[in-house]
Amino acid sequence: MQGDLARFTAANAQVLGINVDHVASHKAFADEMGGLGYPLLADFNPHGAVTRRYGLWNPDRGVGRRAVFIIDRAGVIRWEKVYQGALPDDEELLAALSELQ
């Protein structure tokens, strides 16, 4: 993802990550990845509140499912996809952004 951040910026997109883990866990994850070029948001307290609103909460595991949303400036979801264990494909996301513009 880091190599494509300039392409997302050029497409007028802001990339954000969100996870139900604590901020300290996010820092450890980012450090392990060699740094991230985008912010990670903590959906920690109340645990999973944002994840629940987006319909991604997995009560059996106490975590959220992995998904990508493209949200316009008015806050309207224009594109979404839930991923089962796989990482999002940057080319797919950039193509979706291009189609929406």
Side-chain angles (χ1 to χ4, degrees), residues 77-95:
I77 296 172
R78 298 294 180 186
W79 187 90
E80 65 183 280
K81 183 173 181 179
V82 175
Y83 294 85
Q84 300 297 326
L87 293 175
D89 178 62
D90 288 349
E91 294 305 320
E92 177 184 29
L93 300 178
L94 287 161

Side-chain angles (χ1 to χ4, degrees), residues 1-15 37-38 90 94 97:
M1 170 73 82
Q2 255 184 330
D4 285 329
L5 280 173
R7 294 173 65 198
F8 284 103
T9 300
N12 200 25
Q14 170 65 57
V15 177
Y38 57 91
D90 288 349
L94 287 161
L97 276 170

